[in-house]
Amino acid sequence: MFRKPVFWAVFILVSLICTAWAVMHFAEAFPLVTLDVKMDRAGALDAAEDLALERDWGPYSPRHAVGFNLDSGVQSFVELEAGGKRAWGEMIQGDLYSPYTWNVRLFREGETNETLIRFRPDGTPYGFRERVAEDDPGPSLGSDEAREIAHAAVAAGWTVNLIGYDAVETSHELRPGGRTDHTFVYERPDVQIGEGRYRLQLVVSGDRLTELTHFIKIPEAFSRRYQKMRAANNGIATGATFAIAILYLAGGCAVGLFFLMRERWVVWKPAVKWAIVIAFLQMLVVFNQWPLLWMGYDTAISETTFALQQIAIALAQLVGMGAVLALSFIAAESLGRKAFPQHIQLWRAWTGKVAATRTMLGQTIAGYLFIGIFFAYEVWLYFFASQHLGWWSPSSALFDPDVLANFVPWLTSIAISLQAGFWEECLFRAVPIASAALLGKRFGKPWLWITGAMLLQAVIFGGGHANYPAQPAYARLVELIIPALGFGGLYLLFGLVPAIIFHFAFDVVWFAMPLFAAETPGIWFDRGMVILITLI
């Protein structure tokens, strides 16, 4: 059947129809696609340095860190209790509040004084916070005088009309250096988002404005409910992690390889090589995110110490992940060759004679054709589950906007997807299903063993991803059962090749999504690299 032209014609047609439908409805389910990102990392840094120089924000001659962040707390609140995904999409497109912001941190080693400057995705200055040491001297003004300074600074340098706000909170604190810091909180009385309130916080330290922050006041009751939900998400994921460690790593990998080694059935060299390559790419991801790492730097320690800590973490990840990947790859291919000798051997799939076959061509093309079908499934599931079952998953949970702040944005998407495509298919599919097939041959009723392994791997795979925010807590588990069964079926019929291609390319689309939503200078190069390497 798989060699007949009619099958491939129907397969291609179905994939094209599903892809077209997913593209047409994608922005409704995942509003990031409509985000107007015009500023890039370099533009954010240049604009921040200009503002700091113009407005005398410290420190002088600073280091910098840049991130593109999402206010996930606001997103969860809006999508769960303040209008759903439609309201979230309207918030992204509106100008009342920007949940996505470029953040530039200016700092120096050993100095308390630092500044965080925020921009909207289109590059408009959106706020700042200058941290001043508590013992820095300054005048001790009264509340009215400080408020006048705040209003004058806002009118002179920010596109904020305070006439539309009501003052709701006022506080002050006397600092050890003798100055008084005043905090003023304002609220928009004319608009709200559910029970949330649009607010603005101004801080005057001594006689200068040191903070302007837009935020949404979220009810505390929602925050408590959300934390309870997240605890349930993490509980399911923790259970799946234990199952992975016991059943897959200890059972399938360690015990399985022990018996295969006695029969001289283990192929380890190519597996180790691929493990090193993929682990090395994950280490490069750490260095690629270097601008983001410094957002969490404590200026009380030396920059050298912090940098060495991050390098040590990256090297430890290289060694630790390399070992786990190598064990998983060796077990997956060795068990698979023993259980399913008719499958194309993974490490020979793209050697000259094998790659030139129609079988390999078909498996490769099939891996790509499944992408549109499963994206249509994802979009449909989000609509069906939210409208008919009352389920919720945040529309941006599967992609990280911070990828735009990486040195080389395309690298992170490719490296993470390659690790997921290879490792998860080897560990979640090949190890349990091949082990079950071998146990079935040993004890009888192989299809009963394989059926049990197919169902078990689907549940564990879904549970392993349940730490994503979702309501109910098991929603992500249920969502991934069908894809996991599909991946398992691909492996059972054809081996690892089409499943790895499909899984890798599917994840690339998710992780690279911010690159295709942005309209920043030079973004076409990153898009081109993503497409080129995904096809390679």
Side-chain angles (χ1 to χ4, degrees), residues 22-37 68 75 79 85 88-89 92-93 100 375 379 395-396 399 401 509-510 512-519 527:
V23 170
M24 289 170 53
H25 297 281
F26 198 87
E28 301 172 41
F30 308 102
L32 179 64
V33 176
T34 63
L35 184 61
D36 185 20
V37 185
F68 185 62
Q75 179 195 17
E79 292 190 352
K85 285 184 168 59
W88 175 244
I92 292 175
Q93 292 298 305
Y100 289 94
F375 259 104
V379 174
S395 55
S396 64
F399 40 70
V509 177
W510 277 118
M513 194 70 66
L515 304 182
F516 290 84
E519 293 294 341
R527 294 174 181 173

Side-chain angles (χ1 to χ4, degrees), residues 292-309:
L292 299 173
L293 298 178
W294 290 90
M295 295 295 286
Y297 164 62
D298 183 354
T299 57
I301 66 175
S302 72
E303 293 181 5
T304 301
T305 298
F306 179 79
L308 290 175
Q309 289 175 347

Side-chain angles (χ1 to χ4, degrees), residues 8 11 15 360-374 487 490 494 496-506 534:
W8 285 99
F11 190 10
S15 179
M360 192 62 212
L361 175 65
Q363 292 193 14
T364 302
I365 293 175
Y368 290 111
L369 290 177
F370 274 115
I371 298 171
I373 296 173
F374 272 77
F487 283 122
L490 278 177
F494 306 110
L496 282 167
V497 173
I500 287 177
I501 293 174
F502 169 30
H503 195 149
F504 161 70
F506 184 78
T534 301

Side-chain angles (χ1 to χ4, degrees), residues 244-257:
I244 293 168
I246 295 171
L247 297 177
Y248 294 173
L249 293 174
C253 293
V255 177
L257 286 176

Side-chain angles (χ1 to χ4, degrees), residues 144-222:
D144 292 340
E145 292 177 280
R147 190 184 297 273
E148 289 179 5
I149 290 174
H151 285 203
V154 170
W158 301 92
T159 56
V160 176
N161 186 3
L162 290 176
I163 296 177
Y165 288 85
D166 288 344
V168 293
E169 294 179 14
T170 301
S171 62
H172 66 274
E173 187 171 358
L174 181 63
R175 299 299 185 181
R179 75 171 192 273
T180 299
D181 292 353
H182 294 266
T183 300
F184 306 103
V185 178
Y186 298 83
E187 183 176 288
R188 288 286 299 264
D190 54 330
V191 290
Q192 62 186 66
I193 182 78
E195 295 184 3
R197 300 293 187 267
Y198 292 95
R199 290 191 169 185
L200 175 71
Q201 178 168 293
L202 304 177
V203 175
V204 175
S205 300
D207 58 355
R208 58 181 298 186
L209 183 69
T210 55
E211 181 178 350
L212 186 154
T213 300
H214 296 269
F215 70 102
I216 291 180
K217 175 66 174 178
I218 297 175
E220 291 186 10
F222 168 78

